[in-house]
Amino acid sequence: MDSTTLKVGDQAPDWTLSGTDGDVHLADFQGQKNVVLLFYPLDFSPVCSLQLPSYQARKPEFDQRDTEIFGISTDSKWSHKAFSDQLGLEYQLLSDYQRHVSEAYGVLRPEGFTNRAVFVIDKAGIVRHISVTNPGQQPDQNEVMNVLETL
């Protein structure tokens, strides 16, 4: 699936991934919480080391909006654990080591890692926002908050 296939208003592709605190299944959040997926290229890279803590800093705002945050990259769960510990993250980083989720969401690059992308999925499992940027650029967090305000 390429990035032009998945659109706002589509049902989000379901998945189960290994995270820093165990397995996470997207469908478990349906009817419960909104979900923000932060696809990022690589653990320990400069822009990721800025982006992920910036979401941590606003975690109370996400909590107020009934929203779970997950970072997703193609790195291993062990790399994620070390990266998460270094950054002091309170949300899970998920390993898409097999690259199935990155493919389904249309964000897998030919090099084998993901574009930097943000997906907002509402409680019904519907994609409400998609932002894909090049790996060296951070997406606008305020856009994400504005979308969550409408849910």
Side-chain angles (χ1 to χ4, degrees):
M1 200 179 265
D2 62 39
S3 59
T4 59
T5 306
L6 193 60
K7 302 277 188 220
V8 170
D10 287 350
Q11 184 75 31
D14 193 23
W15 45 261
T16 300
L17 291 173
S18 292
T20 44
D21 291 324
D23 287 354
V24 175
H25 188 188
L26 180 62
D28 290 346
F29 296 93
Q30 276 200 342
Q32 307 294 317
K33 291 196 172 206
N34 304 307
V35 174
V36 171
L37 303 179
L38 308 173
F39 285 91
Y40 66 97
L42 297 164
D43 291 341
F44 303 101
S45 61
V47 177
C48 301
S49 296
L50 296 172
Q51 180 190 15
L52 299 179
S54 73
Y55 277 81
Q56 176 62 45
R58 295 184 77 174
K59 190 170 182 315
E61 293 176 67
F62 286 101
D63 292 344
Q64 289 169 357
R65 289 162 180 80
D66 226 10
T67 302
E68 285 288 330
I69 309 165
F70 295 104
I72 300 177
S73 86
T74 57
D75 287 319
S76 73
K77 65 181 179 180
W78 297 282
S79 176
H80 283 345
K81 180 73 174 131
F83 190 44
S84 178
D85 288 350
Q86 176 182 308
L87 297 177
L89 301 180
E90 296 171 13
Y91 60 89
Q92 287 203 71
L93 301 183
L94 307 176
S95 176
D96 185 22
Y97 201 70
Q98 301 296 320
R99 291 157 174 76
H100 299 305
V101 177
S102 302
E103 286 178 3
Y105 281 74
V107 297
L108 187 65
R109 296 174 59 90
E111 301 94 327
F113 59 87
T114 68
N115 272 319
R116 191 172 309 283
V118 178
F119 290 80
V120 175
I121 302 166
D122 70 12
K123 292 178 184 177
I126 304 299
V127 176
R128 293 298 175 194
H129 173 78
I130 301 172
S131 171
V132 180
T133 58
N134 72 52
Q137 181 182 9
Q138 281 198 57
D140 184 352
Q141 250 183 63
N142 291 324
E143 281 181 22
V144 173
M145 288 300 180
N146 290 341
V147 170
L148 290 171
E149 281 297 319
T150 68
L151 301 180

